[in-house]
Amino acid sequence: MPYTVEWTVRLNLFEDDEGTTKARVVPDTGDTALIGRGAAHCHPADTNVPEIGDELAAGRAMRDLAQQLLNAAERDIESTGATAPSTRQDPGWPV
């Protein structure tokens, strides 16, 4: 039984008055109300490169959202009575 779904993800980046770049990522799944958040700030001794702050804050927000999605999947699996697989493992080749 083939299945296809598309989620839209909105990523907002902004800088506050203290120079901290903040990111907010929100998936539109139709029924999931999750928000990933991340932040980055430049060390005073470092050169200020806004793109780096954007990348860090966005990456951290997406990582936060990813963990929330994995946690939700574990809860959903367990609610069916099945044993949840370990979603805490990093993908990739074993070390």
Side-chain angles (χ1 to χ4, degrees):
M1 177 173 179
Y3 175 76
T4 302
V5 66
E6 182 174 314
W7 292 356
T8 303
V9 178
R10 175 168 285 135
L11 172 64
N12 301 103
L13 294 161
F14 57 96
E15 189 170 325
D16 67 15
D17 291 335
E18 284 105 40
T20 299
T21 302
K22 295 183 178 180
R24 181 175 175 260
V25 62
V26 181
D28 180 3
T29 67
D31 61 354
T32 302
L34 299 174
I35 299 173
R37 291 183 172 84
H41 60 276
C42 185
H43 187 279
D46 293 339
T47 302
N48 186 17
V49 182
E51 293 83 5
I52 294 173
D54 291 349
E55 293 165 348
L56 285 169
R60 290 170 178 163
M62 286 189 266
R63 182 173 53 199
D64 179 46
L65 176 62
Q67 189 59 60
Q68 290 180 53
L69 287 166
L70 291 169
N71 292 344
E74 285 180 355
R75 286 190 304 273
D76 291 345
I77 291 168
E78 290 170 353
S79 74
T80 68
T83 303
S86 174
T87 57
R88 307 237 182 257
Q89 229 172 355
D90 286 333
W93 296 101
V95 179

